[in-house]
Amino acid sequence: PTTTTIPTTSFEPIVNVPALGAFVFIAILFTFLQWRINGISQAVSQRQDALQKLKDARVSALQGGNENDDTNTSTSSNAAVKIATETYKQSILQEEASRTLFPGVRIVAPNAPSKETDEHVVAAKRFLNMDLLATNDENDGSTQQQQQEEKEEKDDNNDDSSNDNNNSNNNMRFVTMSPGGTYDAESFRESRFLMKKFVVPYAMRNMGLMHSSQDGAKRYIDALIDEEMYKSGLFYASKKGYAGEVVDQSEFCPSLSNTELQDNSIAAIRRFLR
């Protein structure tokens, strides 16, 4: 028999160094971005919690009027507001630091404030004088001072009618908010025993006719920072009774949203002040 010998070829693996380097670089970059995004998500959660605590602290400070209120309680409430404000500020700065990869390059998602009516954008302006939609450079002290000076100069150059009809231009809102019926208000503490101890705090509260002063104070805070819900020039109060859902009262009394009447009222007040 004839024996046929077939030569074998050996396989030697070749490493594509450029491709391997690109793969490793992409893997490292992806891992880094995922780590930063997770950090941003935690920072966003901390910012949201901090704002809620700030709102609660301001509600407690506004609430007041309790039987046990004294100077120490008032001082404690003010201190709590300051602490909550500083905590909220630090949470925003921490989130900004997490979003910034290096100067000029930021990670916008996830949950970055994107509208002027966003609750956190409004709250930062109201409580911290910070513009979350601006760049970091625009948020430093010197730029804020310059913006304020420019705003004041612009306001001085506008006539009275222009100021009245362009509240959005000078960042001014006029919202009238009813706190509703509060069963722990001063007026009810001086009422008769049965009214004070049973009728108001239990019967009327359980029927949804009244609520606590904390609920009333919360309405003020909500109106202050929720510009999308509470529009300038409107009067808000309970939809039914003296507690519960808050609605625009022009639904029941259209004259409340009559801008002509509002303008006449302003003109009358100005004539009185001259």
Side-chain angles (χ1 to χ4, degrees), residues 31-48:
T31 303
F32 172 74
L33 290 177
Q34 283 296 114
W35 173 72
R36 291 299 290 266
I37 290 174
N38 290 337
I40 293 172
S41 297
Q42 294 178 359
V44 169
S45 179
Q46 291 175 356
R47 166 171 57 85
Q48 294 171 342

Side-chain angles (χ1 to χ4, degrees), residues 63-76:
Q63 182 180 357
N66 294 327
E67 293 181 355
N68 298 324
D69 275 0
D70 53 23
T71 304
N72 292 334
T73 303
S74 177
T75 303
S76 177

Side-chain angles (χ1 to χ4, degrees), residues 91-119:
S91 69
I92 291 177
L93 295 178
Q94 181 179 352
E95 180 184 347
E96 278 299 307
S98 299
R99 291 186 183 278
T100 304
L101 297 177
F102 48 85
V105 178
R106 298 176 69 252
I107 301 176
V108 177
N111 299 326
S114 58
K115 299 187 301 181
E116 289 188 358
T117 54
D118 185 279
E119 182 182 45

Side-chain angles (χ1 to χ4, degrees), residues 77-143:
S77 298
N78 292 335
V81 170
K82 289 182 179 179
I83 293 174
T85 302
E86 182 61 26
T87 301
Y88 181 50
K89 178 180 179 180
Q90 293 303 320
S91 69
I92 291 177
L93 295 178
Q94 181 179 352
E95 180 184 347
E96 278 299 307
S98 299
R99 291 186 183 278
T100 304
L101 297 177
F102 48 85
V105 178
R106 298 176 69 252
I107 301 176
V108 177
N111 299 326
S114 58
K115 299 187 301 181
E116 289 188 358
T117 54
D118 185 279
E119 182 182 45
H120 288 279
V121 174
V122 177
K125 285 183 178 180
R126 291 281 183 266
F127 302 143
L128 305 175
N129 195 28
M130 293 176 63
D131 187 357
L132 298 187
L133 301 182
T135 62
N136 291 337
D137 292 338
E138 291 174 332
N139 270 327
D140 63 25
S142 60
T143 305

Side-chain angles (χ1 to χ4, degrees), residues 10 92 160:
S10 60
I92 291 177
D160 292 339

Side-chain angles (χ1 to χ4, degrees), residues 24-267:
V24 172
F25 173 76
I26 293 174
I28 293 175
L29 180 61
F30 177 78
T31 303
F32 172 74
L33 290 177
Q34 283 296 114
W35 173 72
R36 291 299 290 266
I37 290 174
N38 290 337
I40 293 172
S41 297
Q42 294 178 359
V44 169
S45 179
Q46 291 175 356
R47 166 171 57 85
Q48 294 171 342
D49 292 342
L51 177 57
Q52 185 59 51
K53 290 179 180 178
L54 176 56
K55 291 167 62 177
D56 293 342
R58 284 187 167 268
V59 166
S60 298
L62 280 176
Q63 182 180 357
N66 294 327
E67 293 181 355
N68 298 324
D69 275 0
D70 53 23
T71 304
N72 292 334
T73 303
S74 177
T75 303
S76 177
S77 298
N78 292 335
V81 170
K82 289 182 179 179
I83 293 174
T85 302
E86 182 61 26
T87 301
Y88 181 50
K89 178 180 179 180
Q90 293 303 320
S91 69
I92 291 177
L93 295 178
Q94 181 179 352
E95 180 184 347
E96 278 299 307
S98 299
R99 291 186 183 278
T100 304
L101 297 177
F102 48 85
V105 178
R106 298 176 69 252
I107 301 176
V108 177
N111 299 326
S114 58
K115 299 187 301 181
E116 289 188 358
T117 54
D118 185 279
E119 182 182 45
H120 288 279
V121 174
V122 177
K125 285 183 178 180
R126 291 281 183 266
F127 302 143
L128 305 175
N129 195 28
M130 293 176 63
D131 187 357
L132 298 187
L133 301 182
T135 62
N136 291 337
D137 292 338
E138 291 174 332
N139 270 327
D140 63 25
S142 60
T143 305
Q144 286 185 4
Q145 183 178 1
Q146 182 181 0
Q147 291 175 341
Q148 182 65 22
E149 291 174 354
E150 292 175 355
K151 176 180 177 298
E152 292 175 354
E153 182 179 357
K154 180 180 178 180
D155 291 343
D156 290 338
N157 293 332
N158 290 334
D159 57 27
D160 292 339
S161 61
S162 176
N163 284 337
D164 293 337
N165 295 323
N166 295 282
N167 286 335
S168 59
N169 290 339
N170 54 28
N171 196 30
M172 189 178 296
R173 294 165 63 233
F174 294 90
V175 177
T176 303
M177 174 64 72
S178 168
T182 54
Y183 60 79
D184 49 353
E186 184 69 27
S187 58
F188 288 108
R189 293 198 211 110
E190 299 176 356
S191 59
R192 296 180 181 273
F193 179 80
L194 289 177
M195 179 66 72
K196 178 173 64 174
K197 295 297 183 181
F198 297 100
V199 177
V200 172
Y202 295 105
M204 298 186 72
R205 181 184 182 185
N206 291 333
M207 293 172 63
L209 299 178
M210 304 194 79
H211 55 201
S212 68
S213 58
Q214 183 175 6
D215 293 325
K218 184 178 182 297
R219 290 186 176 188
Y220 293 132
I221 301 301
D222 290 340
L224 183 66
I225 63 177
D226 193 344
E227 294 186 354
E228 197 163 0
M229 176 67 180
Y230 302 102
K231 305 298 184 181
S232 182
L234 299 179
F235 170 48
Y236 294 90
S238 301
K239 183 176 183 179
K240 183 178 180 181
Y242 304 98
E245 182 184 358
V246 176
V247 297
D248 171 18
Q249 293 299 297
S250 63
E251 296 180 11
F252 314 110
C253 183
S255 61
L256 290 173
S257 60
N258 189 318
T259 56
E260 184 177 355
L261 292 178
Q262 294 175 358
D263 291 340
N264 291 339
S265 299
I266 293 174

